[in-house]
Amino acid sequence: MTVAIVCIAGIGLVAAIALALADKYLAVREDPRIGMVTAVLPGANCGGCGFAGCDGYARALVAGTAPNGACAAGGDACAQACAKILGVEAAATEKRVALVKCCGTRSEAIRVGDYNGICDCNVAAATAGGDKGCRYGCLGYGACANVCPKNAISIHDGLAKVDKRLCIGCGKCVKACPKHLIELVPASATIHVLCNNPDKGPSVRKVCGVGCMGCHMCERLSGGKEAGHFKFDGFLAKVNYSNPPEDAAIVAKCPAKCMIEDPHFESGH
Amino acid sequence: MKTVKSPFKFKGGVHPDYNKELARESAIERMATPAELVVSMSQHLGAPAKCIVKAGDFVRRGQLIGEKNGFISVCVRASADGQVKAVEKRLGPAGGMADAVILDTTAALPEDLPPVEPLKPLDWKNATREELLKRVEEAGICGMGGAGFPSAVKLNPPPGKRCEYLILNGAECEPYLTADFRVMLERADRIRTGVEIMRKILGMPAVRIAIEANKPEAIAAMEKAFADIEGNVEIVVLPVLYPQGSEKHQIYATVGRVVPEPPALPIDVGCVVENVGTVAAIADAVEKGEPLLERVTTVSGDAVANPKNVLAPSGTKYSDLLAFCGGTKEDAAKVISGGTMMGFAVSSLDIGTTKTTSGLLFLTRKKVFQYSSQACINCGRCLRACPMNLNPAEISKAVESDDIKTAEDAHVMTCIECGACSFGCPAYRTITQYCRRAKNSIRARMAAERAAAQAAKAANP
Amino acid sequence: MKPKTTESHLVLSSSPHTHAKSSVSRIMLDVIIALLPTTAMGIWFFGMSAVWTIAVCVSTCIVTEALCRMAMKRESTIGDLSAVLTGLLLALNLPAGLPLWMAVAGSVFAIAIAKQVFGGLGMNPFNPALAARAFMLISFTGPMTTWLKPICRCKCDAAPDVLTMATPLATMKRLFGHDATASATPHFQQAIDSLPSTWDMLVGNMPGCIGEVSAIALAIGAAYLLWRKVITWHIPVSFIATVYVYSLIAGGAPAYMQVLTGGVMIGACFMATDYVTSPITAKGKLIFGFGCGLLCMLIRQFGGYPEGCSFAILIMNAICPLINRWTQPKPFGAK
Ligand code: SF4
Ligand code: SF4
């Protein structure tokens, strides 16, 4: 018994000394600012900045190889804090969140087939273009939800929805979507057009009950072309986010019912 | 000229139900030009052609409407007289969107429309190699077996590489399809002429005509057509095994050479493989000045009233093809562009045929299997079936858990997407789809890396 | 709400659009069919106690599987018949006359612990039936090594049919290292004589587990599996050949006896060939079979138990992923 206690204690002692020595002589000296910058970054490790996690970005920032403000998740406040640590000027950035520009739910958008295969939008899109009649709409197989580091995206009724409170604007979903219908928009904007189909009205109507027909009603009601609240791509209205419309009354007037005020789905996590 | 049995057997392969009897006996029938054609600018492998007409234009049959756009690309010509209704993005069979010219063929051409200069017939025996190559390119010919590789590129090996074997692909191992079979029976003389032209372009390589053993009539027809040809020409009878028609496996089965992993091409082992239909098209383009505007498509499947081999202009909508074959006698549950092993399920009959549409199948509910995949039970069937000797089970498991790196290390890029693995999987795993997914994301990553490298070079030269 | 669709509602899926129509349940059914001859022989030799063991194991496995899937809120997998097969295999690897509650415990272990905990069929690292058997061997060593004497059906002398006796393996263990050809010592001769006759060994008239005794019935089953292409020859052949060659070299009881007794036949044809827990490539299978045979014989000669087949297979199960890694196929055209 005594022998055992002595032995174990001895091993512990030797190990402790070794560790203490190692800490003293083998420690890696690091720029202390790296730790400080890491501390002000959100710590989400989302990779949206293009570096391997927050730590990677912090190192690059301190080394001067990365621009300040690349962290979408941290937004303006984070950029300011980093700037203070690094002693540079910070350009003001605005918090952006992802917006899924489609509102063709299962009950509104026509499905032309029965997709049978791997549950992933990219793969489904490569199979006859997907099972949705609309070639531009959300397929609802969750490629975006799978890459979201914050689990801010969930699929409801065949449609991806973003929870504005959770979204950090890293932009990973934008890259993942095969239909390219997710856009990063200012978090402050509240009026959105939820459609991605630039086709003419009649062909949109054929495949979806809530598709934009390009009737320009929203533009007219928000002060006409000169006011510049909307832009048009083919027969698709797009909100001009650098000059967003303010009057929420136009939303109810949209004949296609694809305009929505603050559609950011709050999933109640 | 002699007929030999294939001396080499590749590993793997499967035996799907062939169902060829449905359309096998029906002779090629020419279909009248339908009222509307959907002529895609992306009928081939590589960059889509650049459309040079606009809505309202009148075009004549054979007129150039899409220009070759890059090295690996093919031009597109109007397959009928008519007026351009619209030029718009249309869904292709493979699920991608590409520019298509919608042609109204009922519109009367205005009197004063200038005639288009037709391609002149060439006397190939006296024409130079360059003239012949140019003709193949002008005629818009690409491989008609499935992939649609530009023939002019294939027939013009890069410097330093020589073609020793010209292999004619008459295997047609896809279930249901009989288009190539009928072409071999009915257009044997065109194939013979085509071979002689291609031999001339390629510098007199040896010729191997590969046909599966289940087509004795085609073998006989080829024997007759090539009876008096000079030089090293052999008909190689291949055992019935899917995917015998795959380029790499055909090269192995006929001459015993192994094409290395991608990006190597058949020419790296001195071979050029061309589908028999393409060879006939080359003969027409050279001898008659007839561009590639139409092809034989097998319309078959147990839902079709009268399965047929139809000669239709490119751009014929699937619905018109179906109507020509008497419509459906039972409800179709699945429509496939191509064969059942590698074809594409389509969601709409408004898609137009292309130069590579070898078949159009309408299957009833009975023939359509819908599955829910289970976990892999490690049975090894996919491994034994894979003609590329990959480990599809491991690849599918890796991709399922989003581990593209492991799939890449397991050589997924070598996969030819033949479907042999999924075909036999008792757990109904969509292995081929997993492979495709891995390949797509690896390709996307490589493209991004290339773009980044280029941008970096541009930034600091 | 039902989604809106067009009239022509077509199935969209990736190629291939046709299938060989094989299925997991069909494979499992084939293995069950292949096990029927040996099951019948087991019942013939061990009577009603064998019937009870089999019935209890199979039904417990099915119920456990159903309950596990329900508890995990996953779809039911009873239909794939793998639970039935596990139950049957486990029962065939138990001695007849085992208290039935032990059979129940073993079956629950096989399905709940050895299979469903890992995620169900396809994910289990160890063969569930064998894992359960090993668990029972350790937990209930006594009953698990008490062997019923087979009911005497042929030369019916008056022997009562509930006698227990040692398996030939225990005898053979003592013989290792003796020179069989010299057969000089009367001691040796006596031991050899106490072993069942060759014919008894072939048909299964000897003590042992319910399903492992009849070599002929097992061979018929294996032939059926080979014919149906459910298994390949690699594992059974390399396993049995290794056992044979080892016992030739090690001496002792005639080599064919080592193959015919104990769990070698059922192990090589039915347990080691379990897809999930054996390597996927042909080369890997050969290595796997060799390893199983070698370990089995090492345990037989030097181990604490007279029989080592189950443990040998379990150990090889554990290194199966490694074997898979070593034996990746070389792609067509790869350097
Ligand atoms: S699809 Fe790919 S992995 Fe599957 S069998 Fe064919 S080549 Fe092998
Ligand atoms: S065929 Fe299916 S179940 Fe069998 S090993 Fe391959 S993927 Fe797994």
Side-chain angles (χ1 to χ4, degrees), chain A residues 6-164:
Chain A
V6 170
C7 279
I8 298 289
I11 292 173
L13 194 70
V14 172
I17 291 172
L19 274 179
L21 290 177
D23 184 46
K24 202 156 173 68
Y25 294 105
L26 300 178
V28 180
R29 293 274 161 255
E30 212 182 44
D31 191 327
R33 290 181 304 170
I34 293 176
M36 287 157 75
V37 173
T38 312
V40 298
L41 291 173
N45 288 324
C46 71
C49 51
F51 292 90
C54 295
D55 193 46
Y57 178 52
R59 279 168 201 282
L61 253 185
V62 172
T65 51
N68 190 11
C71 175
D76 207 18
C78 167
Q80 300 287 358
C82 292
K84 219 194 243 149
I85 296 166
L86 301 173
V88 294
E89 286 286 312
T93 54
E94 201 188 351
K95 179 166 162 66
R96 294 166 97 76
V97 289
L99 173 75
V100 177
K101 290 185 290 179
C102 179
C103 58
T105 54
R106 280 195 172 268
S107 43
E108 292 294 354
I110 280 173
R111 298 261 159 182
V112 288
D114 230 344
Y115 173 65
N116 192 191
I118 306 172
C119 192
D120 178 283
C121 306
N122 284 284
V123 191
T127 309
D131 53 357
K132 216 170 196 176
C134 173
R135 296 291 152 215
Y136 305 90
C138 171
L139 292 171
Y141 292 108
C144 50
N146 288 344
V147 296
C148 178
K150 286 306 210 177
N151 280 334
I153 309 182
S154 48
I155 308 294
H156 279 261
D157 200 9
L159 208 58
K161 302 246 184 183
V162 180
D163 187 327
K164 194 178 187 172

Side-chain angles (χ1 to χ4, degrees), chain B residues 375-383 392-393 396 421 424-427 429 431, chain C residues 280:
Chain B
C376 167
I377 58 166
N378 217 32
C379 70
R381 279 175 176 68
C382 52
L383 215 95
S396 80
C421 47
C425 176
R429 293 171 66 74
I431 311 169
Chain C
I280 196 163

Side-chain angles (χ1 to χ4, degrees), chain A residues 74-269:
Chain A
D76 207 18
C78 167
Q80 300 287 358
C82 292
K84 219 194 243 149
I85 296 166
L86 301 173
V88 294
E89 286 286 312
T93 54
E94 201 188 351
K95 179 166 162 66
R96 294 166 97 76
V97 289
L99 173 75
V100 177
K101 290 185 290 179
C102 179
C103 58
T105 54
R106 280 195 172 268
S107 43
E108 292 294 354
I110 280 173
R111 298 261 159 182
V112 288
D114 230 344
Y115 173 65
N116 192 191
I118 306 172
C119 192
D120 178 283
C121 306
N122 284 284
V123 191
T127 309
D131 53 357
K132 216 170 196 176
C134 173
R135 296 291 152 215
Y136 305 90
C138 171
L139 292 171
Y141 292 108
C144 50
N146 288 344
V147 296
C148 178
K150 286 306 210 177
N151 280 334
I153 309 182
S154 48
I155 308 294
H156 279 261
D157 200 9
L159 208 58
K161 302 246 184 183
V162 180
D163 187 327
K164 194 178 187 172
R165 292 170 307 175
L166 294 176
C167 175
I168 52 173
C170 68
K172 286 197 155 182
C173 52
V174 176
K175 292 193 198 101
C177 177
K179 301 284 183 183
H180 310 294
L181 54 73
I182 305 184
E183 191 185 329
L184 290 181
V185 303
S188 54
T190 55
I191 298 173
H192 308 281
V193 176
L194 297 190
C195 185
N196 191 39
N197 190 332
D199 287 352
K200 283 194 195 123
S203 38
V204 175
R205 271 281 165 265
K206 240 190 270 171
V207 292
C208 185
V210 287
C212 174
M213 306 181 291
C215 66
H216 290 242
M217 181 70 88
C218 46
E219 188 183 60
R220 244 175 291 139
L221 292 178
S222 65
K225 202 169 168 118
E226 309 74 51
H229 293 314
F230 289 92
K231 287 181 288 191
F232 283 84
D233 166 17
F235 294 86
L236 174 65
K238 292 187 166 176
V239 172
N240 181 0
Y241 286 106
S242 44
N243 178 19
E246 272 132 32
D247 181 10
I250 58 171
V251 169
K253 301 266 169 54
C254 171
K257 304 207 171 34
C258 62
M259 210 192 292
I260 287 186
E261 194 191 0
D262 205 359
H264 286 295
F265 174 73
E266 312 245 329
S267 63
H269 277 276

Side-chain angles (χ1 to χ4, degrees), chain B residues 386-388 390 392 415-421 432 435:
Chain B
C386 178
M388 297 308 294
L390 301 174
C415 165
I416 55 169
E417 300 175 26
C418 66
C421 47
T432 314
C435 292

